[in-house]
Amino acid sequence: MAEHTKSKFNPSCHQEIITMQNITFSYEQKQVITDLNFSIKERDFVGLIGSNGAGKTTLLRMIVGLLKPEHGSISLFGEPIGKFKHWERIGYVPQKNSFNPLFPVTVREVILSGLYGRSKLFSRISKADLVKAEDAMHAMQIEDLSNKRIGQLSGGQQQRVFLARALINNPALLILDEPTVGIDVETQEGFFHMIKHMHQHHNITFLMVSHDMDMVRSYLGQEPLQQNGKLKFYVKHSHELENCVENDLTHSLKGLRQSMNQRAPVVI
Amino acid sequence: MDILSTEFFQRALIGGVLIGVTAPLMGLFLVLRRLAMIGDTLAHVSIAGVALGFLIGVYPIAMGLVFALAASFAIEKLRRAYKTYAELSIAIIMSGGVALASLLFTLGKGFNVNVTSYLFGSIYTLDNTDLIVIGAVTVIVLFMVKLHFKELFLLTFDEDAAAVNGLPVRYFNIMISVLTALVISASIKIVGALLVSALLTIPAACSLIIARSFKQSIITVVVIAELAVIGGLMAAGVWNLAPGASVVLLLILILVLLLAMKRGFKI
């Protein structure tokens, strides 16, 4: 299964990961997105910026199939979204406030849930799954929190847990929905450093919704590449990076922590 | 003490123990998804089904199930219509169910005695058919929850993530509705429509206090519900109390004790 999906992704860094064509969407009478054309290529880093009501979350929900565009089409990894089956290639980090802090669930249980997709519908959690969870926790430096209840953690630690959950499947595309909301500035910087590092050293394509202009601009440039209504797209293209790299689970997760530690310690 | 060895009491105990597994299990999923009131609503509506069953001479619990299912789908529809005021749909369906029930009960004046038995439960009148129904419901619920434990957890914890992972969210939502309706209509005769909600929600409330993991919370709700069911029925049998009420009050006692203990530990 894994071999099959891997072979479909060529390492030339030119595959279109997300293709949006003539997308229009409106709530009631208010048109939020009008005739949007945008594509994200392999290993691009796209920052999606906009004020409240600009349609950031709407667009994100359309890309992951939770909303249908009124007009236009969306393709994921070259396949129309209706036929797309390889959801395990997409890692998703929700907004921090999307769960109840009282929810009785441990860090390990949350991280394992990243594996619960269509292909695992009738199978049990295997030893290999548990190893993957350990690797993901190790990469995010949260292994000592594995049996803690998620609500007991700080905002920054929770964000790492959700990032670990998104990484457990070795995703080719990572979607982050305002990952730094409600986290103090120092932790935000550590988190952003980690994200940048992953982009530079691992073959992951990023789509990040953010309201934090400073951080986005410092990495993705001062001017948006494209604008649609109040939505602004800031992009760092893959060709600005050194070269294409392998997207290998064991390498990326195990190597992640090592290479991050070498560069600069991450502040939790 | 003689009552404990009678056949009707033992039937009551078997029925109670079975419902003590399934009701808190489904209740945990509902409470964690902030749908705690749904149990109450479905129970009130299924009373209307029970009334119709008596009126037209069909097995009342089966009619109750049909009504509970219809209500759970109606709630989903209304929830979508009033997205930001979802609890409104619960209030509408609940009052609609009670209104329909009282209308049907007054139509068939002859069975007034049975009304209270379904409102407050009449566990001592469980017959073999009831036990078979409760047993079948227990098997179905346990099988489905075991089969899809992972998916039900993810859906409960983070519905968006479940959808992004490619899970058929709609299918699982319908499954939870159907299983809940099954459990509620099967437990009406045991604790009564007015008290079903307690068996669904109070064990979950207890588990929020003590459980650290999702697995623990599953074990906690079942253990607490069984303590209350068995203890409550025994107490009711020995001191001649209302069985449904005894179970519910014991549940509340456990909750209060847990809350007090937690406070004690903190200070």
Side-chain angles (χ1 to χ4, degrees):
Chain A
M1 181 75 194
E3 292 307 314
H4 168 70
T5 47
K6 211 167 275 178
S7 64
K8 290 187 70 172
F9 303 96
N10 63 55
S12 61
C13 271
H14 291 304
Q15 194 199 1
E16 288 205 354
I17 302 289
I18 304 176
T19 318
M20 292 170 267
Q21 283 176 312
N22 310 103
I23 301 290
T24 299
F25 193 91
S26 47
Y27 284 110
E28 314 280 311
Q29 269 92 45
K30 196 176 158 242
Q31 203 160 68
V32 192
I33 295 166
T34 312
D35 201 27
L36 169 71
N37 285 286
F38 194 77
S39 64
I40 300 177
K41 288 214 172 76
E42 195 171 351
R43 233 187 143 200
D44 282 354
F45 194 123
V46 175
L48 187 56
I49 316 292
S51 50
N52 282 338
K56 293 171 298 194
T57 306
T58 306
L59 187 61
L60 223 55
R61 291 178 78 82
M62 283 195 281
I63 290 169
V64 295
L66 290 172
L67 278 177
K68 275 205 174 114
E70 228 168 272
H71 299 290
S73 63
I74 296 175
S75 296
L76 296 173
F77 297 91
E79 274 182 274
I81 193 162
K83 289 184 184 157
F84 183 70
K85 290 276 187 298
H86 301 291
W87 291 100
E88 71 278 0
R89 303 296 297 171
I90 301 178
Y92 171 73
V93 180
Q95 279 190 23
K96 181 183 164 269
N97 300 328
S98 62
F99 73 96
N100 189 326
L102 270 181
F103 201 107
V105 59
T106 61
V107 167
R108 185 184 276 110
E109 284 176 319
V110 172
I111 291 171
L112 275 170
S113 76
L115 293 168
Y116 305 164
R118 204 178 268 268
S119 59
K120 293 241 174 197
L121 213 47
F122 296 98
S123 59
R124 288 161 158 265
I125 300 166
S126 67
K127 275 240 170 75
D129 293 341
L130 291 171
V131 171
K132 278 186 192 174
E134 293 303 323
D135 286 348
M137 284 190 277
H138 183 75
M140 290 295 110
Q141 306 179 9
I142 50 172
E143 57 267 64
D144 47 336
L145 303 175
S146 62
N147 289 320
K148 281 242 156 63
R149 188 155 141 168
I150 183 94
Q152 295 174 319
L153 309 188
S154 71
Q157 289 170 329
Q158 285 175 6
Q159 215 48 54
R160 280 159 176 260
V161 172
F162 283 103
L163 198 54
R165 178 178 76 172
L167 289 173
I168 193 170
N169 264 326
N170 189 30
L173 168 65
L174 204 50
I175 296 177
L176 305 132
D177 189 0
E178 307 227 27
T180 53
V181 167
I183 297 175
D184 62 86
V185 177
E186 208 175 329
T187 312
Q188 277 183 26
E189 276 167 11
F191 184 77
F192 206 65
H193 168 80
M194 197 155 65
I195 298 285
K196 278 192 289 196
H197 181 87
M198 287 196 309
H199 181 227
Q200 283 159 356
H201 297 273
H202 302 280
N203 190 5
I204 302 175
T205 308
F206 283 84
L207 173 59
M208 184 173 90
V209 167
S210 181
H211 64 290
D212 194 328
M213 293 303 289
D214 292 347
M215 275 179 196
V216 169
R217 279 192 181 141
S218 73
Y219 189 54
L220 304 178
Q222 291 297 316
E223 292 304 318
L225 183 78
Q226 194 178 322
Q227 194 160 351
N228 185 291
K230 287 187 219 157
L231 277 182
K232 291 176 187 155
F233 296 86
Y234 289 78
V235 182
K236 192 174 192 79
H237 283 297
S238 51
H239 53 70
E240 297 171 51
L241 298 165
E242 296 157 24
N243 49 17
C244 292
V245 287
E246 280 274 333
N247 181 25
D248 168 47
L249 172 74
T250 48
H251 174 74
S252 65
L253 280 183
K254 281 190 179 135
L256 188 57
R257 174 172 180 153
Q258 219 169 9
S259 49
M260 278 194 313
N261 280 345
Q262 280 164 2
R263 301 215 132 206
V266 177
V267 187
I268 299 185
Chain B
M1 284 292 181
D2 290 345
I3 187 176
L4 302 185
S5 57
T6 57
E7 201 182 319
F8 70 85
F9 188 84
Q10 282 170 354
R11 261 207 293 264
L13 207 54
I14 294 170
V17 165
L18 291 177
I19 287 301
V21 177
T22 53
L25 208 52
M26 293 318 293
L28 179 65
F29 290 116
L30 296 181
V31 168
L32 291 177
R33 303 184 76 192
R34 303 192 166 199
L35 299 172
M37 288 303 291
I38 277 197
D40 229 358
T41 311
L42 296 188
H44 282 76
V45 175
S46 61
I47 280 294
V50 167
L52 185 66
F54 276 120
L55 204 60
I56 60 176
V58 178
Y59 183 53
I61 289 181
M63 281 316 281
L65 171 63
V66 172
F67 272 55
L69 278 176
S72 65
F73 289 115
I75 290 170
E76 270 307 304
K77 283 266 174 227
L78 274 175
R79 255 158 59 85
R80 263 176 228 152
Y82 293 98
K83 243 179 218 153
T84 43
Y85 292 103
E87 69 275 18
L88 194 55
S89 63
I90 287 174
I92 293 168
I93 303 280
M94 174 137 50
S95 44
V98 175
L100 193 59
S102 65
L103 193 79
L104 290 168
F105 271 126
T106 40
L107 276 180
K109 291 186 183 94
F111 48 77
N112 278 339
V113 188
N114 286 313
V115 181
T116 45
S117 78
Y118 280 89
L119 288 179
F120 298 105
S122 62
I123 193 166
Y124 296 150
T125 63
L126 284 187
D127 55 31
N128 283 337
T129 319
D130 297 332
L131 271 192
I132 290 168
V133 169
I134 293 168
V137 166
T138 308
V139 170
I140 294 170
V141 169
L142 286 183
F143 176 76
M144 293 309 280
V145 170
K146 185 143 176 50
L147 185 65
H148 288 307
F149 182 75
K150 310 190 302 297
E151 291 76 19
L152 289 173
F153 159 69
L154 182 54
L155 193 77
T156 308
F157 178 63
D158 189 344
E159 191 168 334
D160 281 0
V164 176
N165 279 12
L167 288 180
V169 169
R170 258 182 71 90
Y171 161 77
F172 282 111
N173 278 333
I174 292 171
M175 190 178 112
I176 290 179
S177 296
V178 171
L179 293 180
T180 307
L182 275 174
V183 166
I184 284 169
S185 39
S187 38
I188 279 186
K189 215 169 174 182
I190 292 182
V191 278
L194 297 180
L195 301 176
V196 164
S197 179
L199 210 47
L200 290 165
T201 56
I202 299 175
C206 295
S207 87
L208 285 182
I209 300 172
I210 49 177
R212 286 171 141 254
S213 68
F214 193 67
K215 260 205 184 117
Q216 270 182 22
S217 70
I218 294 265
I219 297 165
T220 312
V221 289
V222 174
V223 168
I224 285 174
E226 290 299 351
L227 275 177
V229 166
I230 296 169
L233 288 182
M234 292 287 190
V238 173
W239 292 304
N240 197 21
L241 306 167
S246 307
V247 171
V248 173
L249 287 175
L250 194 51
L251 274 174
I252 292 176
L253 183 68
I254 295 172
L255 177 66
V256 170
L257 283 177
L258 286 175
L259 279 170
M261 268 167 62
K262 201 194 178 191
R263 288 223 159 165
F265 281 133
K266 268 196 177 160
I267 296 164

